[in-house]
Amino acid sequence: MTSPASFRDQTNWSDGYYELAIEVGSSDDARIQAVLGALWSAADVHGCFGRRDREPEEQDPVPCTVGSLTAFGHLHGQVRLPTGQLVVCGCVAIRGGDESSDWLDFYVPVGALDNAGLTYWDGRPFFRSDVMDDWLAAIGKETFTRAAFSLGVVGFEVSGCSDAATLAGQMPQERGIGYLLPVDGTLHYGAANT
């Protein structure tokens, strides 16, 4: 039987990512580090590793830092789903440079969700899981209490599908993804509704 927590099982890393993508609000390493640390803690990630081709016990942990993200490209760990199953997870930074703010994407690969037996189709025209949406939104809310950010979006491969400047503080009425939108210092969650 395939373990959804196995790093070596490449099926766990396949078929795209279910994400909490956070627009940090700046491109300053200190801001990214604050959000990364808050996010890793809020998700209660087990370990922090630079490689996914070795099991956690076969490699040394790396610091959960922007430096590690830069060195390895992704950080990997294991996280317990609301269903109780331990699965692989990861995080990647998308650096905006001078033109836009940076993003941090915390993700659970769809292959691991499949191997964990998580139901997600529900007859919808694209991948969606209410269980994952609610869980990732809760992680985003907890992260925001420790390190404020400009925007969070939740769903299947959602990074870059919107940004805080475009939304201008207005929650979309029809939402194919979940939004974590700060307004006057308070974070509001708009669940996907289409």
Side-chain angles (χ1 to χ4, degrees):
M1 182 172 160
T2 299
S3 167
S6 171
F7 277 31
R8 277 190 188 272
D9 186 339
Q10 292 306 300
T11 66
N12 283 332
W13 301 102
S14 65
D15 299 329
Y17 303 114
Y18 214 89
E19 300 173 331
L20 164 60
I22 295 175
E23 184 180 8
V24 174
S26 81
S27 58
D28 175 62
D29 280 359
R31 283 291 312 133
I32 299 163
Q33 181 61 57
V35 174
L36 174 62
L39 174 62
W40 215 253
S41 176
D44 194 23
V45 178
H46 303 220
C48 184
F49 302 96
R51 300 185 61 170
R52 68 179 204 191
D53 62 345
R54 296 180 183 169
E55 294 300 334
E57 62 274 9
E58 298 171 348
Q59 61 181 307
D60 292 328
V62 299
C64 186
T65 62
V66 174
S68 293
L69 267 175
T70 301
F72 294 101
H74 292 245
L75 297 178
H76 305 99
Q78 296 167 320
V79 69
R80 195 160 302 281
L81 296 176
T83 60
Q85 287 215 248
L86 193 65
V87 297
V88 297
C89 65
C91 186
V92 63
I94 296 116
R95 305 303 297 257
D98 294 334
E99 297 175 17
S100 63
S101 69
D102 292 339
W103 287 75
L104 281 174
D105 285 1
F106 175 74
Y107 59 83
V108 177
V110 173
L113 296 176
D114 284 341
N115 289 335
L118 187 77
T119 303
Y120 56 80
W121 183 251
D122 248 355
R124 295 180 176 130
F126 51 87
F127 187 110
R128 169 129 17 102
S129 165
D130 293 337
V131 169
M132 289 298 292
D133 285 356
D134 292 345
W135 177 65
L136 289 170
I139 291 169
K141 289 175 187 176
E142 179 64 25
T143 300
F144 188 80
T145 67
R146 301 172 190 193
F149 50 78
S150 296
L151 176 67
V153 287
V154 172
F156 178 68
E157 300 207 350
V158 293
S159 178
C161 54
S162 190
D163 59 54
T166 301
L167 293 175
Q170 298 295 314
M171 184 75 67
Q173 293 298 310
E174 293 187 7
R175 298 178 296 274
I177 62 174
Y179 290 84
L180 292 159
L181 182 64
V183 178
D184 297 328
T186 302
L187 189 66
H188 300 272
Y189 177 54
N193 60 11
T194 61

